[in-house]
Amino acid sequence: SLFQANGPYYFPLEHFSICKYALNARGFEAIIPFLTSRGELDCLSLENCEIGDDVAGAIGVVLDQTCIDNIDLNGNQISARGLSNLFSGKNSIKLRSLNLQENSIGKAEVDEIARFLSKEGVALQWIAIGKIRLIFGDYFDPD
């Protein structure tokens, strides 16, 4: 199978990107087996995909089974509930960068990000919110 690490079509993947494509939960669920078969992924980019809380929650499911260093969710519609679901994945604390630019980030979303950052062992070094980029520790640029 394409999704099995030892299958005939397995190939190493570091960066997975779908941009400017309307991606609902059902569409994202179709690629979950592919993403979770990797074990780890350098970058998951879902920029301008009209993603809402349901897909953010499905990304949390992927983070239960896969380590992802960088997630780009620029230009979507993720609320505090979606962030909470995304951050619930057990490997979410291993994220090094998160791009949330051009999402509607208000007080509830900032509070959810602050709750995540207060978890023990969070590796996040770079987060973009609106036009603000927060860098923690040594300079890190995911681009």
Side-chain angles (χ1 to χ4, degrees), residues 94-142:
K94 296 178 183 177
L95 277 172
R96 292 181 61 211
S97 74
L98 178 62
N99 185 352
L100 296 171
Q101 290 179 306
E102 297 183 35
N103 280 269
S104 294
I105 302 293
K107 182 180 181 341
E109 290 74 25
V110 170
D111 289 346
E112 194 57 48
I113 292 166
R115 258 191 297 283
F116 172 68
L117 292 174
S118 69
K119 287 182 178 179
E120 187 173 328
V122 170
L124 197 66
Q125 296 176 355
W126 183 93
I127 186 169
I129 307 168
K131 300 211 181 288
I132 300 170
R133 288 184 179 192
L134 303 175
I135 301 168
F136 310 99
D138 296 332
Y139 179 74
F140 172 74
D141 187 354

Side-chain angles (χ1 to χ4, degrees), residues 59-66 88-92:
I59 295 169
V61 170
V62 171
L63 284 169
D64 270 339
Q65 302 170 46
T66 304
S88 69
K90 70 178 180 185
N91 291 315
S92 64

Side-chain angles (χ1 to χ4, degrees), residues 13-23 28 31 34-35 41-51 55 59 62-63 67-76 78 86 95 97-101 103 126 142-143:
L13 180 72
E14 293 181 6
H15 188 108
F16 185 87
S17 179
I18 296 176
C19 297
K20 298 180 183 175
Y21 179 81
L23 186 64
F28 188 79
I31 61 173
F34 180 73
L35 295 173
L41 190 63
D42 179 55
C43 183
L44 174 62
S45 179
L46 302 171
E47 192 174 336
N48 294 307
C49 288
E50 301 177 20
I51 289 173
V55 175
I59 295 169
V62 171
L63 284 169
C67 291
I68 303 174
D69 285 340
N70 311 293
I71 297 181
D72 185 348
L73 297 171
N74 180 29
N76 290 291
I78 300 169
L86 184 140
L95 277 172
S97 74
L98 178 62
N99 185 352
L100 296 171
Q101 290 179 306
N103 280 269
W126 183 93
D143 300 326

